[in-house]
Amino acid sequence: MFVVELTYTAPLDRVDALLERHVAWLEEQYAAGVLLASGRKNPRDGGVLLAVAPDRAAIEALVATDPFHEGDVAEYRVLEFAATKTAPALEQYREQLPA
């Protein structure tokens, strides 16, 4: 599982100019089963994505297609972790540590 932290590198007017395309991109990722949650950080200096993918390379390739990345208005920090405990609603994403 991955936590992707976006930090805006451009003024909010440039971010907002790409927001509609970014939201459409998010919807595509939800439909594809990649995103589990997303939202703005508070204060509004970026956002956070909770995602599932086969590996880090897949997440990094996906992030490169985000309109915020393509428009050069955000930088991304990708954190990978093993979700060994989950809420019941996320049980299908629970992982086992290697033996």
Side-chain angles (χ1 to χ4, degrees), residues 28-63:
E28 291 173 10
Q29 306 323 311
Y30 279 108
V34 175
L35 289 183
L36 302 179
S38 62
R40 291 180 178 174
K41 292 192 298 186
N42 187 12
R44 187 182 174 204
D45 62 359
V48 176
L49 311 173
L50 182 60
V52 293
D55 54 42
R56 184 182 192 90
I59 286 294
E60 289 175 350
L62 182 69
V63 161

Side-chain angles (χ1 to χ4, degrees), residues 11 53 69 82 88 90:
H69 183 273
L90 297 175

